Amino acid sequence: MNPAELEALLSGLLRLWQVEARLSVAREGEGLRADITKAGALVTVEQSVQPFGIAWHVQAEGKRRLAYPSTIGMIKHLREVLAPERGVARVMFAAGGA
């Protein structure tokens, strides 16, 4: 993933969740870093390449930095922090009976 792709992903999520925030994305060495500022509070998202694959780290201001091995985990955490009123949604696939 490059900085433009991460910015597209995060800005799309912010639009989907209807969150007004400022977003900046930059490359940091081998990884990427995004800063999301909502109402003066900062949330940092970092992507790094580890021996086992891609790792995501999310840290809301004043909270612990948490790690996720998947993009889905990172997205769930961001939604909880930036748009808690949106609630949790799931998609279920079931075989149709004919």
Side-chain angles (χ1 to χ4, degrees):
M1 181 175 284
N2 64 45
E5 292 169 332
L6 179 58
E7 184 171 4
L9 171 66
L10 295 176
S11 64
L13 291 171
L14 294 172
R15 275 194 309 274
L16 177 68
W17 297 330
Q18 299 175 348
V19 171
E20 293 291 326
R22 191 178 67 227
L23 172 65
S24 66
V25 178
R27 180 164 295 284
E28 283 195 351
E30 295 285 318
L32 297 170
R33 177 186 168 114
D35 292 328
I36 303 168
T37 306
K38 176 187 172 191
L42 176 66
V43 179
T44 301
V45 177
E46 295 173 316
Q47 180 205 45
S48 61
V49 179
Q50 302 296 323
F52 56 84
I54 300 293
W56 293 93
H57 293 89
V58 180
Q59 183 172 17
E61 197 168 45
K63 304 283 183 166
R64 281 186 0 180
R65 181 176 185 243
L66 298 175
Y68 299 94
S70 74
T71 307
I72 299 299
M74 177 270 295
I75 290 171
K76 285 181 178 180
H77 185 131
L78 282 180
R79 186 203 36 82
E80 290 171 7
V81 171
L82 298 171
E85 69 282 357
R86 301 302 268 175
V88 175
R90 295 181 188 257
V91 175
M92 294 179 59
F93 298 93

